[in-house]
Amino acid sequence: MIRECLAVMESGNIEELFEIIPRIGVLRDPRFTEPLLKLLEHENVKRREFAAYSMGAIGDRQFLEPLKKAFKKAARIRGAGARELQVAVIESIGAIGDDASVDFFLPALKVCCTDRAADGKHARNARKMSQWIIESLGAIAQQGGARSLDALLQLTAHDDPEIQAQALSELSVAYWHRPNEVKESTLAKIVELTRHPESVVAESALAALQSLADVGCRRAEAYFVSDDGEKA
């Protein structure tokens, strides 16, 4: 199976490449490293995208720096496939789960926020990119990344309501496997934001509380219980 994967990497078509990503993620053989690094530099953008997703599937931290460089190169590409490549890199860095990737994601998000102020397609792309970056921070936070958790908490105070709302959503997801480990200050912040003047933020904060309550966070459950002990 390893040889088959290597053969596809060497000469397979695009469809064949994407079909073997699940196998690459299961096998995680060190012989995949060199061909994937080469494909990440390939002139064909889809082959680069395949390499990025494969690196995320393997989950080896040695791929972080090459992926970050690939993201910067992708930002300079114009035309078909550029955005998909950036998304692949963002998702793969999140999948690898290195908490230090906050130092990559936050500056990238800042650039996206600047681009969101533009008009038309460029702004729409920046909005989507922001979403994927925050989702990747959430993926790392869910794996226990303390710095990623802190970054999400900071983003709940962002001046863009859409970013605030998504950060709230990812913050609740980060605690799904440990709902009673939510810090009191974090829960207080979520409760505070249920009263935010922007409905998208207030609704996201309420949904975050409900999500935490649903997975067993006792303090979140208490928010939905009335004074007479009945659920609100």
Side-chain angles (χ1 to χ4, degrees), residues 153 156-157 168 171 184-194 205:
L153 191 59
T156 64
L168 281 162
L171 199 56
E184 196 62 49
S185 57
T186 299
L187 204 60
K189 181 67 174 177
I190 297 173
V191 170
E192 175 192 334
L193 289 171
T194 62

Side-chain angles (χ1 to χ4, degrees), residues 14 17-18 21 36 38-57 67 70 74 77 80-92:
I14 300 299
L17 284 169
F18 279 84
I21 292 175
L36 287 176
K38 287 181 179 177
L39 283 168
L40 195 63
E41 299 282 343
H42 201 281
E43 61 182 17
N44 184 289
V45 176
K46 292 302 288 184
R47 291 182 185 274
R48 285 192 238 176
E49 183 185 337
F50 155 77
Y53 277 125
S54 297
M55 290 174 178
L67 284 167
I77 298 173
R83 190 181 75 169
E84 288 79 4
L85 175 56
Q86 286 181 294
V87 172
V89 170
I90 289 168
E91 289 187 358
S92 295

Side-chain angles (χ1 to χ4, degrees), residues 2-149:
I2 292 170
R3 289 180 180 176
E4 290 174 6
C5 289
L6 289 169
V8 172
M9 288 186 210
E10 179 69 28
S11 57
N13 61 39
I14 300 299
E15 185 177 346
E16 290 171 333
L17 284 169
F18 279 84
E19 285 176 354
I20 65 170
I21 292 175
R23 276 183 274 167
I24 288 171
V26 171
L27 294 168
R28 301 186 178 191
D29 192 274
R31 284 171 284 183
F32 296 151
T33 300
E34 187 176 343
L36 287 176
L37 289 171
K38 287 181 179 177
L39 283 168
L40 195 63
E41 299 282 343
H42 201 281
E43 61 182 17
N44 184 289
V45 176
K46 292 302 288 184
R47 291 182 185 274
R48 285 192 238 176
E49 183 185 337
F50 155 77
Y53 277 125
S54 297
M55 290 174 178
I58 292 171
D60 193 320
R61 294 186 181 188
Q62 70 172 311
F63 293 129
L64 285 170
E65 288 308 314
L67 284 167
K68 291 173 187 177
K69 290 177 183 176
F71 182 84
K72 291 178 181 177
K73 290 180 181 178
R76 297 192 293 268
I77 298 173
R78 294 292 176 265
R83 190 181 75 169
E84 288 79 4
L85 175 56
Q86 286 181 294
V87 172
V89 170
I90 289 168
E91 289 187 358
S92 295
I93 291 174
I96 291 170
D98 184 1
D99 202 26
S101 296
V102 168
D103 296 329
F104 164 76
F105 282 130
L106 291 183
L109 182 61
K110 188 174 182 179
V111 171
C112 288
C113 291
T114 301
D115 291 345
R116 284 163 73 106
D119 296 321
K121 185 178 179 181
H122 195 59
R124 290 194 299 273
N125 285 345
R127 196 167 284 110
K128 283 288 188 183
M129 203 67 66
S130 299
Q131 178 182 333
W132 288 312
I133 289 170
I134 297 170
E135 284 179 1
S136 289
L137 282 170
I140 297 172
Q142 195 171 7
Q143 297 174 59
R147 291 185 63 197
S148 296
L149 270 175

